[in-house]
């Protein structure tokens, strides 16, 4: 029976190689404080054999690395694979080592990974693959010492696959190596493996090699190393001397108990059962089953815990990527909305500018037309009258003065209609004055309920719109309605001002389509998000109801 202790402890070797390689290189260009903190915790838990916690922090440290930080990722993955093998999760360990080789295929000490992968295949009874990777480890090793490590492991795999002659030839080649002989711990392993090969080949040299290995290990005083010697001696004496076989099995069991190695206790119990009386066999078998069940339960829990850690880590990464993606989308959306808002702002600004230009043009056109229609002819007539009449006559002079007074009044009215509107606290008076200016001997203008509105709370834009709208209505009335009475009412609603206009003029449905003044009124109302309705019939006057937001 061959046990794991007959292989070299290559796990420690890789850690030393990693730190050695780091020391030979320049310091990493960028620090990773998060990684350093996680690795420190992981190594501390690993040192006290709390492998579940160590596994968690090694996995977290790997996730803390960027994709191009291959050395840090390699170091974390190596220990993850190691812990998986310690928990007998060899399939997962194989997957982790394969990931290492994919992440860091040009690693200087890649031989250590080949050896680790060989161990994973060995524990899964895939001896052909195990030997393949042990050979790759041997070929890529830079140090003779590690070549001996991997050669011994090849011999171990050959023994496990029952190729005893090949194992004996291979191990015989290295057993006399001076550097190996100087290393007592590892020399004892090779001697024991070679002894086992001779034992399986029924060669009497076997006992000499077993005893020699035991003597070296006993001088080291290491229970961990003594166990394989006691087990092999128990197996050797099983048919030759049952008492010695039982004694060696008992020594192996006691050593395994001292170092708390349940796998070795089970193996020792197997040989104790084989060499005990029927009365003791039942008790030993129950003990073996209890230990085995306990190991399987602990390892199954560990596997599930490791799987959960990996799942949670992948889930966290996925959520991080999702958050990052959402953040990017939000940023893109924010930029898009910002750009769109800027575009809309400038479009509105350009539209308002154009609207202002159009309104200015229309105002200038209207003023020009009124100056031409209402004043130019009157001025020309007054000039002609002054030239052709004898102004020394009192009646002629008075007629000229009356004509000039009319021209002045019209000029003042045009000026007022297009002058700046007073939107201060005096707005109500300015509005009343403007409306009153349209009173005459022929037309009476009545204003109702104006005091019902608190004009101080009305925004400036609404005041200007109300003023211009009523001004347009009054001008339209003066030109077209032929009325004798105009009634204007104001009502204050919750969010708007309601204005009711009515006159007793000629009215006419067709005038709604023909008169530009009414179109201007409607445009101003709609521009202020208000409402307007018209009502007119021939010879029944004209009415309109308007609402303008406060």
């Amino acid at each position: 029976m061959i046990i794991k202790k007959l292989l070299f402890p290559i796990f420690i070797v890789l850690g030393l190689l990693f730190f050695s390689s780091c020391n030979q290189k320049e310091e990493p260009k960028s620090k990773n404080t998060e990684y350093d903190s996680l690795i420190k915790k992981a190594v501390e838990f690993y040192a006290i054999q709390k492998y579940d916690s160590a596994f968690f922090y090694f996995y977290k440290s790997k996730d803390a690395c960027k994709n191009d930080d291959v050395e840090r990722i390699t170091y974390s993955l190596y220990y993850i694979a190691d812990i998986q093998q310690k928990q007998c999760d060899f399939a997962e360990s194989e997957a982790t080592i394969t990931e290492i080789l994919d992440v860091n295929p040009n690693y200087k000490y890649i031989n250590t990974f080949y050896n680790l992968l060989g161990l994973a295949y060995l524990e899964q009874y895939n001896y052909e693959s195990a030997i393949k990777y042990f050979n790759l480890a041997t070929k890529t090793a830079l140090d003779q010492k590690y070549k001996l490590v991997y050669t011994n492991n090849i011999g171990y795999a050959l023994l496990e696959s029952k190729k005893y002659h090949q194992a004996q030839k291979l191990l015989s080649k290295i057993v006399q190596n001076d550097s190996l002989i100087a290393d007592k711990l590892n020399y004892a392993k090779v001697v024991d493996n070679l002894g086992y090969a001779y034992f399986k080949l029924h060669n009497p040299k076997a006992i000499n090699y077993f005893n020699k290995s035991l003597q070296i290990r006993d001088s080291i005083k290491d229970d961990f190393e003594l166990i394989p010697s006691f087990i092999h001696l128990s197996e050797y004496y099983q048919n030759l001397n049952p008492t010695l076989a039982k004694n060696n099995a008992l020594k192996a069991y006691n050593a395994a108990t001292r170092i708390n190695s349940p796998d070795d206790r089970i193996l020792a119990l197997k040989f104790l059962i084989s060499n005990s009386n029927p009365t003791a066999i039942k008790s030993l078998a129950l003990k073996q089953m209890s230990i085995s069940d306990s190991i399987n339960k602990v390892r199954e829990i560990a596997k599930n815990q490791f799987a959960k850690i990996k799942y949670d880590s992948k889930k966290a990464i996925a959520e991080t990527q999702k958050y990052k993606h959402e953040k990017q989308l939000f940023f893109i959306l924010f930029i898009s909305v910002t750009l769109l808002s800027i575009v809309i702002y400038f479009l509105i600004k350009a539209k308002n500018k154009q609207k202002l230009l159009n309104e200015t043009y229309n105002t200038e056109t209207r003023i020009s037309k009124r100056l031409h229609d209402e004043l130019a002819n009157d001025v020309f007539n007054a000039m002609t009258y002054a030239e052709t009449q004898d102004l020394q006559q009192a009646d002629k002079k008075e007629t000229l003065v009356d004509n000039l007074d009319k021209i002045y009044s019209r000029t003042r009215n045009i000026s007022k209609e297009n002058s700046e509107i007073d939107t201060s606290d005096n707005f109500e008076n300015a509005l009343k004055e403007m409306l009153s200016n349209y009173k005459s001997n022929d037309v009476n203008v009545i204003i109702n309920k104006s005091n019902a509105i608190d004009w101080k709370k009305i925004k400036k834009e609404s005041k200007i719109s109300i003023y211009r709208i009523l001004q347009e209505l009054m001008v339209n009335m003066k030109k077209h309605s032929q009325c004798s009475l105009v009634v204007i009412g104001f009502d204050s609603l919750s969010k708007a001002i309601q204005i009711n206009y009515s006159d007793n003029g000629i009215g006419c449905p067709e005038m709604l389509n023909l008169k530009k003044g009414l179109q201007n009124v409607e445009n101003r109302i709609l521009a202020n998000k208000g409402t307007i309705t018209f009502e007119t019939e021939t010879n029944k006057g004209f009415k309109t109801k308007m609402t303008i937001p406060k």
Side-chain angles (χ1 to χ4, degrees), residues 139-180:
K139 291 177 182 178
T140 54
L142 303 176
D143 193 303
Q144 179 63 23
K145 177 180 178 180
Y146 302 122
K147 290 183 182 292
L148 294 173
V149 169
Y150 308 137
T151 302
N152 176 74
N153 290 348
I154 294 170
Y156 178 94
L158 290 170
L159 290 173
E160 283 283 83
S161 58
K162 299 181 180 181
K163 296 178 180 180
Y164 304 120
H165 283 287
Q166 293 181 42
Q168 181 266 319
K169 289 180 180 179
L170 184 65
L171 295 171
S172 295
K173 290 180 180 179
I174 66 171
V175 76
Q176 299 300 326
N177 187 285
D178 291 337
S179 62
L180 180 63

Side-chain angles (χ1 to χ4, degrees), residues 511-526:
M511 67 181 279
L512 298 180
N513 298 323
L514 297 174
K515 306 306 177 187
K516 189 173 181 181
L518 294 180
Q519 184 64 53
N520 290 338
V521 169
E522 186 173 15
N523 290 341
R524 287 185 186 276
I525 291 286
L526 296 178

Side-chain angles (χ1 to χ4, degrees), residues 355-529:
K355 182 179 178 182
L356 181 62
L357 290 173
N358 291 338
E359 192 171 318
T360 302
Y361 174 76
N362 291 335
T363 300
E364 291 173 348
T365 302
R366 186 177 68 251
I367 293 172
S368 175
K369 188 173 184 302
R370 290 191 65 184
L371 289 173
H372 179 272
D373 294 347
E374 298 180 21
L375 293 178
N377 291 333
D378 289 345
V379 171
F380 178 77
N381 291 332
M383 291 172 62
T384 303
Y385 185 84
E387 290 175 354
T388 58
Q389 300 297 322
D390 183 6
L391 298 181
Q392 296 299 321
Q393 297 179 22
D395 58 333
K396 301 294 184 181
K397 184 177 181 180
E398 185 177 351
T399 299
L400 177 62
V401 171
D402 288 341
N403 289 337
L404 291 173
D405 186 57
K406 288 179 182 178
I407 292 171
Y408 170 74
S409 296
R410 288 185 179 182
T411 305
R412 184 184 63 182
N413 289 338
I414 292 172
S415 175
K416 284 186 177 180
E417 288 174 13
N418 296 279
S419 63
E420 184 179 357
I421 298 170
D422 184 359
T423 57
S424 65
D425 294 345
N426 194 45
F427 173 75
E428 184 177 359
N429 293 330
L431 182 63
K432 286 181 178 180
E433 183 182 352
M434 182 272 292
L435 294 173
S436 298
N437 286 336
Y438 289 91
K439 285 184 179 181
S440 65
N441 294 330
D442 298 324
V443 180
N444 186 23
V445 178
I446 300 174
I447 303 171
N448 290 331
K449 299 182 181 179
S450 61
N451 292 328
I453 299 172
D454 186 358
W455 291 101
K456 294 179 181 179
K457 295 182 179 180
I458 308 302
K459 58 186 179 181
K460 179 179 178 181
E461 293 77 8
S462 296
K463 290 180 181 179
I464 294 173
S465 295
I466 291 170
Y467 191 98
R468 292 301 185 197
I469 287 167
L470 289 172
Q471 193 175 58
E472 292 277 5
L473 285 173
M474 298 306 287
V475 169
N476 193 70
M477 174 273 297
K478 198 76 172 177
K479 289 182 177 180
H480 308 293
S481 70
Q482 302 178 25
C483 66
S484 60
L485 177 64
V486 176
V487 179
I488 300 171
F490 296 90
D491 282 316
S492 180
L493 306 180
S494 60
K495 294 183 179 181
I497 295 172
Q498 181 174 294
I499 303 172
N500 297 299
Y501 169 95
S502 64
D503 64 42
N504 63 351
I506 60 174
C508 180
E510 290 78 10
M511 67 181 279
L512 298 180
N513 298 323
L514 297 174
K515 306 306 177 187
K516 189 173 181 181
L518 294 180
Q519 184 64 53
N520 290 338
V521 169
E522 186 173 15
N523 290 341
R524 287 185 186 276
I525 291 286
L526 296 178
N528 283 272
K529 298 182 180 179

Side-chain angles (χ1 to χ4, degrees), residues 33-255:
T33 54
E34 182 184 4
Y35 174 87
D36 294 340
S37 175
L38 292 168
I39 277 293
K40 182 180 178 182
K41 290 181 180 179
V43 171
E44 287 173 355
F45 282 118
Y46 182 88
I48 59 176
Q49 298 182 13
K50 287 191 175 182
Y51 296 124
D52 54 347
S53 298
F55 185 93
F56 174 80
Y57 284 106
F58 278 123
Y59 217 94
K60 291 277 286 183
S61 68
K62 177 184 78 73
D63 292 340
C65 299
K66 295 181 179 179
N67 292 335
D68 58 352
D69 198 353
V70 292
E71 287 196 358
R72 289 189 175 104
I73 293 173
T74 298
Y75 187 64
S76 297
L77 285 174
Y78 161 73
Y79 272 101
I80 290 170
D82 174 26
I83 293 170
Q84 287 167 332
Q85 290 201 9
K86 281 179 167 56
Q87 298 298 325
C88 297
D89 194 357
F90 300 108
E92 283 297 317
S93 179
E94 177 191 339
T96 302
I97 300 161
T98 303
E99 184 180 353
I100 295 173
L101 294 171
D102 183 56
V103 168
N104 201 354
N106 299 316
Y107 184 55
K108 183 177 181 181
Y109 300 106
I110 197 170
N111 51 288
T112 55
F113 302 139
Y114 288 141
N115 181 68
L116 199 59
L117 190 55
L119 296 178
Y121 282 123
L122 190 66
E123 295 295 347
Q124 297 176 83
Y125 309 107
N126 187 346
Y127 303 122
E128 184 177 348
S129 294
I131 291 170
K132 171 187 173 182
Y133 283 99
F134 287 143
N135 273 316
L136 280 172
T138 305
K139 291 177 182 178
T140 54
L142 303 176
D143 193 303
Q144 179 63 23
K145 177 180 178 180
Y146 302 122
K147 290 183 182 292
L148 294 173
V149 169
Y150 308 137
T151 302
N152 176 74
N153 290 348
I154 294 170
Y156 178 94
L158 290 170
L159 290 173
E160 283 283 83
S161 58
K162 299 181 180 181
K163 296 178 180 180
Y164 304 120
H165 283 287
Q166 293 181 42
Q168 181 266 319
K169 289 180 180 179
L170 184 65
L171 295 171
S172 295
K173 290 180 180 179
I174 66 171
V175 76
Q176 299 300 326
N177 187 285
D178 291 337
S179 62
L180 180 63
I181 294 171
D183 183 358
K184 288 185 177 182
L185 183 69
N186 293 324
Y187 179 56
K189 294 179 187 292
V190 176
V191 170
D192 203 18
N193 279 341
L194 182 56
Y196 195 80
Y198 281 130
F199 168 63
K200 286 297 184 178
L201 293 171
H202 307 289
N203 189 317
K205 291 181 182 180
I207 190 61
N208 295 328
Y209 282 96
F210 284 151
N211 287 330
K212 185 175 181 179
S213 178
L214 177 61
Q215 182 182 7
I216 297 170
R217 284 168 166 165
D218 190 48
S219 68
I220 299 172
K221 303 298 181 183
D222 187 340
D223 284 326
F224 186 81
E225 294 298 326
L226 283 169
I227 294 171
S229 285
F230 290 139
I231 291 293
H232 283 170
L233 285 169
S234 178
E235 186 176 358
Y236 178 83
Y237 286 117
Q238 191 164 6
N239 296 322
L240 298 174
N241 190 333
T243 300
L244 283 176
K246 181 180 178 181
N247 288 339
N248 279 290
L250 185 59
K251 288 178 181 179
Y253 180 82
N254 290 335

